[in-house]
Amino acid sequence: MIDFSIPPELEVIRERTTAFMDEFVYPNEKNMVEDEGLPAELEKDLQRRVKELGLWAPHLPREWGGMGIGFIGQALMNEIVGRAVFAPRLFGNAAPDAGNAELLLIAATDEQKDKYLRPLASGEVRSCFAMTEPEVAGSDPTGLQTTAVRDGDEWVINGHKWFISGAIGSAFAIAMTVTDTTASSHSRASMILVPTDTPGFNIIRSVPVMGSGGVGGHCEIRFEDCRVPVGNLLGGVGDGFKLAQARLGPGRIQHCMRWIGAAQRSFEMMCSYALKRQSFGEPLAKKQTVQNWIADSAAEINAARLMTLNAAWKLDRGDDARIEISLIKFFGARVLHDVIDRAIQVHGALGYSKDTPLEMFYRDARAARIYDGPDEVHRQVVAQRILKTFEREN
């Protein structure tokens, strides 16, 4: 029997999260500065309130100060948190910190956890994840060129990275580096922890982007004879791609549910405005085109939500969810864009202005089709895996 009901303990979390958003998040949207977020003092105060409510770090287990609510719990909570662009930072599960924390949980030594995970989990520091490079396609990370060469008790890192989210002000980076140029394509790379105050870790600039930016920018970085201890290796030599996949799966669940939150809020704004805005003697809600947009948006949001919860359910069970995660990545990104686009159209010039969050949602939505793997790669992955099942049957 399939049960679509939400467990009572998760329903309580949803109610408390919604109440916090209503009281503290939406009223503070006017205080957010693009590329900077909320004022630091205000952000710290709101994070303190979140911790007091027991809503901090839904992605982490309780022993690390998190909520320990599993992937379904994270998904349900992230839909609510995703309704405001700066809210994930208040709840301690913003990217890239959330993914980095999950990676440290599964791959770090006890010493590394104490040094890097503990302050990250508590929100004392921020981090970044350094993988994408300007010289090679981000859709094919097997071509990465940044190298880490062992020299005695140190790794010497050289390379060029960009679109490294949150790098400005971060305490450390997890750098994807090539440690064996002769190994097979998926065994060439390793992950190395690099404190950002290490000589040779050079932030060149914050790359200007179309979206709302985010705290710490999306930075271009050069590693120039950057030396870190051999003990900063995360996992084993050659484990980089395996760890990257372990990191991305849960992260995509979080992203997709936040997209649903932004789409749902945009949908609600569209419905409310359509009912009150008069055009040619009647509300916009009476127009068939607007009614079609509302019906299509409701169907698409519900489909994306159920697909994402199904992927989360499979992860909670320990099942292989690679197809499901790729499906929600490209389908969810399309739903996010289309619903916001319709909401803007209903709002007319108001939707194009900065008087509502719609234009910011719209700019951010375009990036959703690129980061965490472009749509085309996820479609290819889904098709290839499905075709393999048919090959085995024939």
Side-chain angles (χ1 to χ4, degrees):
M1 179 178 178
I2 299 176
D3 185 357
F4 289 98
S5 62
I6 297 174
E9 64 275 14
L10 294 182
E11 191 58 64
V12 169
I13 289 171
R14 281 164 48 88
E15 291 171 359
R16 284 158 53 199
T17 304
T18 298
F20 185 88
M21 296 284 289
D22 289 340
E23 185 174 359
F24 296 108
V25 177
Y26 305 132
N28 277 304
E29 285 184 316
K30 63 182 182 294
N31 296 316
M32 192 197 85
V33 178
E34 287 198 21
D35 302 325
E36 297 179 17
L38 292 178
E41 187 174 333
L42 174 60
E43 181 178 89
K44 286 295 182 185
D45 178 61
L46 295 180
Q47 288 176 335
R48 176 186 58 78
R49 293 176 184 271
V50 166
K51 290 177 180 178
E52 289 174 352
L53 290 169
L55 298 174
W56 179 259
H59 60 295
L60 291 176
R62 293 182 185 277
E63 58 266 30
W64 286 97
M67 298 177 68
I69 54 177
F71 290 107
I72 287 286
Q74 292 176 49
L76 292 169
M77 188 172 169
N78 269 297
E79 178 178 354
I80 301 167
V81 173
R83 293 169 64 94
V85 295
F86 62 86
R89 283 199 48 76
L90 304 183
F91 289 86
N93 69 331
D97 291 334
N100 286 349
E102 290 164 339
L103 190 54
L104 290 166
L105 270 176
I106 63 174
T109 64
D110 289 343
E111 183 179 352
Q112 290 170 343
K113 287 177 181 178
D114 191 59
K115 184 175 181 179
Y116 296 101
L117 177 57
R118 195 169 300 283
L120 185 65
S122 66
E124 296 172 36
V125 303
R126 291 192 293 103
S127 63
C128 60
F129 186 74
M131 184 168 78
T132 306
E133 298 181 0
E135 290 81 13
V136 296
S139 58
D140 181 16
T142 61
L144 293 176
Q145 297 177 355
T146 297
T147 60
V149 177
R150 184 163 179 172
D151 181 20
D153 292 332
E154 294 179 316
W155 291 106
V156 183
I157 305 173
N158 283 282
H160 190 193
K161 303 284 187 180
W162 72 343
F163 294 109
I164 309 307
S165 301
I168 297 172
S170 63
F172 67 92
I174 298 178
M176 189 80 150
T177 65
V178 176
T179 48
D180 186 352
T181 58
T182 65
S184 63
S185 59
H186 288 90
S187 300
R188 300 170 69 243
S190 305
M191 290 188 182
I192 297 177
L193 292 155
V194 183
T196 55
D197 60 359
T198 305
F201 181 92
N202 300 317
I203 297 177
I204 307 302
R205 61 174 178 142
S206 177
V207 181
V209 297
M210 179 179 178
S212 57
V215 177
H218 301 287
C219 297
E220 180 180 0
I221 294 171
R222 285 195 180 274
F223 291 91
E224 298 176 301
D225 291 330
C226 183
R227 291 177 172 267
V228 297
V230 168
N232 282 28
L233 179 71
L234 189 60
V237 173
D239 284 349
F241 288 101
K242 179 178 70 176
L243 292 176
Q245 288 303 311
R247 180 185 186 276
L248 285 172
R252 286 170 182 148
I253 296 285
Q254 295 164 15
H255 279 310
C256 289
M257 287 305 283
R258 287 178 196 149
W259 296 345
I260 293 166
Q264 180 67 34
R265 187 178 178 193
S266 302
F267 173 75
E268 292 167 7
M269 292 175 65
M270 173 170 61
C271 292
S272 296
Y273 195 76
L275 286 167
K276 69 181 182 182
R277 185 65 166 181
Q278 296 282 323
S279 177
F280 298 101
E282 63 181 0
L284 288 174
K286 295 287 188 179
K287 311 296 184 183
Q288 185 178 26
T289 295
V290 174
Q291 291 175 353
N292 288 339
W293 287 343
I294 290 170
D296 289 346
S297 297
E300 291 163 4
I301 291 171
N302 197 40
R305 179 185 292 114
L306 291 173
M307 288 169 65
T308 308
L309 289 171
N310 178 56
W313 175 76
K314 293 194 76 170
L315 288 179
D316 274 336
R317 287 164 54 93
D319 294 343
D320 184 348
R322 282 175 288 185
I323 288 180
E324 288 78 7
I325 288 171
S326 284
L327 281 171
I328 63 173
K329 172 59 174 66
F330 73 78
F331 183 77
R334 185 175 69 207
V335 170
L336 173 68
H337 172 274
D338 290 352
V339 172
I340 298 169
D341 186 71
R342 294 168 190 144
I344 290 174
Q345 196 71 9
V346 168
H347 281 73
L350 175 61
Y352 188 70
S353 77
K354 292 183 182 291
D355 285 354
T356 78
L358 291 173
E359 66 84 28
M360 184 186 297
F361 286 168
Y362 191 74
R363 287 184 286 126
D364 284 346
R366 187 58 185 86
R369 291 177 53 199
I370 298 173
Y371 63 75
D372 274 3
D375 287 2
E376 294 74 16
V377 170
H378 286 285
R379 284 191 173 93
Q380 183 180 28
V381 167
V382 169
Q384 288 175 343
R385 291 188 178 277
I386 290 173
L387 290 170
K388 281 182 180 179
T389 64
F390 281 86
E391 287 175 354
R392 288 194 293 267
E393 293 171 1
N394 294 329

